[in-house]
């Protein structure tokens, strides 16, 4: 079937990313009868694979992340104009393994500033996939609005034949522009799926279906130019949390210690000596504590360091007073949060209190 191509689309095809996306069939068709968009969405770009480039069209590993600016990302998907009035800002240009607490504070403050404006209906944040789930959960705790905030990334660079970035970005803007996404918390949109920030995690090093909520389940799908929600998180988030980062320029130091066979307390002792205010212990099984490490954890707690028992297994509730006497040790358990997200919640909790009982309440609340 012959489909006429507008002069605007032909102009956009001058960008390699758009041409490759169209060749790969990744840019969705939009019906001429679709209504003009009314939502205003701001795209905040931070770098990552979605802004990456490779040496050839078949380079899907070994590429360079964070080389493409936000303007080119938007130009590569001209269909965005069919679903929202889009603006772009380049907040950072980094690979996401370099994301830091300082980056999070800058990003969160910018998000809150934008969402407070009446002419901004939603935010999309392009992000590298390595720490995307962590940034999403941090924002889920500190964004002070019910307006949609959607994080999006890509598992393949935009120069690849089968680049997933263009369709992921289109879906993310579609989601951020949707009234159905209001009040759902910070969302993650990849692979035609809608995931919640609290529970989603990256599960594979390279495949397109890497982001999953393996046990509790995704929130919905994006299909046929609209989102479909099937469930929502019951935990408090965004405007309903007690955390305020508006006046913060740093976060407390919280580190993660990994449990394994023949584990030694050396790493734990070094982190405490380096000034850690909190330790997440990513224990084996149900957050079990090895006898070699327990004395150091106990000593650290007596020095005022908050200890949170998490688990490295990736699923399930860490039971309080299960594999350790948490009441006696004055430890906190992470509930279902994985170690990297438990670290985020403990950092934010420590900006409010050092009372372990209050912090345990927060872990059961968020």
């Amino acid at each position: 079937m012959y489909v006429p191509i507008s002069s605007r689309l032909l102009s956009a095809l001058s960008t390699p990313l758009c041409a490759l996306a169209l060749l790969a069939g990744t840019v969705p068709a939009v019906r001429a009868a679709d209504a003009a968009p009314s939502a205003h969405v701001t795209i905040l770009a931070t770098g990552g694979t979605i802004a990456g480039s490779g040496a050839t069209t078949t380079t899907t590993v070994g590429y360079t992340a964070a080389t493409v600016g936000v303007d080119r990302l938007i130009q590569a998907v001209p269909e965005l104009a069919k679903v929202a009035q889009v603006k772009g800002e380049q907040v950072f240009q980094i690979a996401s393994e370099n994301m830091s607490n300082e980056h999070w504070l800058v990003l969160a403050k910018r998000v809150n500033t934008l969402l407070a404006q009446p002419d901004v209906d939603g935010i999309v944040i392009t992000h590298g996939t390595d720490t995307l789930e962590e940034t999403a959960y941090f924002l889920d705790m500190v964004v002070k609005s019910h307006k949609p905030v959607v994080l999006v990334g890509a598992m393949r660079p935009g120069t690849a034949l089968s680049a997933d970035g263009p369709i992921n970005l289109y879906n993310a803007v579609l989601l951020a522009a949707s009234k159905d996404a209001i009040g759902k918390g910070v969302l993650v949109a990849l692979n035609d799926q809608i995931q919640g920030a609290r529970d989603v995690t990256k599960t594979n090093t390279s495949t397109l279906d890497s982001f999953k909520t393996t046990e509790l389940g995704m929130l919905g799908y994006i299909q046929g130019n609209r989102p479909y929600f099937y469930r929502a998180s019951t935990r408090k988030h965004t405007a309903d949390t007690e955390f305020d980062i508006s006046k913060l320029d740093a976060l407390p130091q919280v580190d993660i210690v990994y449990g394994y066979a023949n584990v030694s307390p050396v790493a734990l002792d070094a982190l405490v000596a380096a000034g850690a205010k909190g330790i997440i212990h990513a224990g084996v099984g149900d957050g079990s504590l090895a006898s070699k490490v327990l004395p150091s954890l106990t000593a650290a707690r007596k020095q005022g360091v908050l200890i949170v028992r998490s688990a490295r297994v990736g699923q399930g509730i860490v039971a309080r007073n299960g594999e350790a006497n948490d009441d006696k040790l004055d430890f906190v358990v992470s509930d279902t949060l994985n170690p990297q997200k438990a670290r985020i919640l403990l950092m934010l909790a420590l900006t409010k209190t050092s009372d372990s009982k209050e912090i345990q309440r927060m872990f059961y609340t968020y």
Side-chain angles (χ1 to χ4, degrees):
M1 181 180 70
Y2 171 73
V3 179
I5 300 178
S6 68
S7 59
R8 183 177 175 276
L9 181 55
L10 285 171
S11 175
L13 282 171
S14 62
T15 62
L17 285 173
C18 186
L20 285 170
L22 287 171
L23 286 172
T26 58
V27 179
V30 178
R31 298 183 302 274
D34 285 348
S38 59
H40 292 73
V41 174
T42 299
I43 299 175
L44 301 180
T46 70
T49 296
I50 194 170
S53 57
T56 71
T57 58
T58 57
T59 300
T60 58
V61 294
Y63 51 84
T64 303
T67 62
V68 178
V70 65
D71 291 340
R72 284 184 60 198
L73 289 177
I74 293 172
Q75 291 166 7
V77 191
E79 282 77 6
L80 294 178
K82 296 291 186 179
V83 295
Q85 299 184 47
V86 175
K87 294 181 180 178
E89 293 183 18
Q90 193 74 47
V91 186
F92 316 118
Q93 186 66 299
I94 61 174
S96 73
E97 64 265 26
N98 297 318
M99 193 64 66
S100 67
N101 293 352
E102 291 72 28
H103 287 117
W104 281 341
L105 290 171
V106 170
L107 180 61
K109 289 175 183 178
R110 184 58 183 149
V111 169
N112 280 330
T113 296
L114 288 168
L115 292 179
Q117 299 176 6
D119 61 346
V120 175
D121 298 304
I123 299 285
V124 168
I125 299 168
T126 64
H127 199 288
T129 58
D130 285 353
T131 59
L132 187 150
E133 67 188 84
E134 294 173 65
T135 299
Y137 185 59
F138 179 77
L139 293 173
D140 202 41
M141 293 295 97
V142 302
V143 165
K144 293 306 175 187
S145 174
H146 290 301
K147 294 178 182 179
V149 176
V150 182
L151 273 80
V152 64
M155 294 302 294
R156 294 175 179 172
T159 49
L161 285 174
S162 53
D164 55 326
I167 186 61
N168 285 348
L169 181 59
Y170 175 84
N171 282 341
V173 171
L174 184 76
L175 183 59
S178 172
K179 293 182 179 179
D180 291 339
I182 295 173
K184 297 293 199 304
V186 174
L187 303 171
V188 174
L190 288 97
N191 203 38
D192 298 335
Q193 297 174 342
I194 306 168
Q195 308 279 0
R198 183 188 186 276
D199 303 314
V200 69
T201 192
K202 185 175 181 179
T203 65
N204 190 285
T205 59
S206 59
T207 61
L208 301 187
D209 63 345
S210 179
F211 279 78
K212 296 179 181 179
T213 306
T214 52
E215 188 171 30
L216 298 176
M218 62 181 175
L219 304 186
Y221 292 101
I222 301 172
Q223 187 180 84
N225 292 321
R226 63 165 294 185
Y228 293 86
F229 282 92
Y230 294 92
R231 73 175 194 90
S233 175
T234 61
R235 295 303 177 96
K236 289 185 177 181
H237 53 68
T238 54
D240 298 324
T241 77
E242 60 203 270
F243 306 115
D244 180 7
I245 51 88
S246 61
K247 295 181 175 61
L248 295 179
D249 55 13
L251 294 168
Q253 179 185 339
V254 175
D255 295 295
I256 300 173
V257 174
Y258 200 78
Y260 52 91
N262 200 46
V263 65
S264 147
V266 171
L268 169 62
D269 292 340
L271 291 169
V272 172
K277 304 302 181 185
I279 292 290
I280 307 298
H281 182 270
V284 297
D286 188 12
S288 300
L289 307 174
S291 58
K292 290 182 180 179
V293 174
L294 182 56
S296 289
L297 288 169
T298 304
R301 181 68 194 107
K302 289 179 179 178
Q303 296 172 36
V305 179
L306 265 293
I307 307 297
V308 174
R309 284 199 308 113
S310 185
R312 72 180 198 182
V313 298
Q315 296 185 31
I317 299 171
V318 176
R320 184 167 182 85
N321 297 317
E323 292 298 324
N325 190 335
D326 297 300
D327 289 343
K328 179 179 179 180
L329 295 167
D330 199 26
F331 290 175
V332 173
V333 293
S334 67
D335 191 43
T336 61
L337 288 177
N338 63 25
Q340 56 268 35
K341 292 182 183 178
R343 171 183 170 268
I344 291 166
L345 184 52
L346 182 56
M347 284 194 300
L348 291 170
L350 287 170
T351 68
K352 302 282 292 182
T353 183
S354 59
D355 185 304
S356 63
K357 292 182 176 60
E358 266 296 284
I359 293 175
Q360 184 65 79
R361 175 192 64 78
M362 293 175 187
F363 272 86
Y364 286 142
T365 301
Y366 305 110

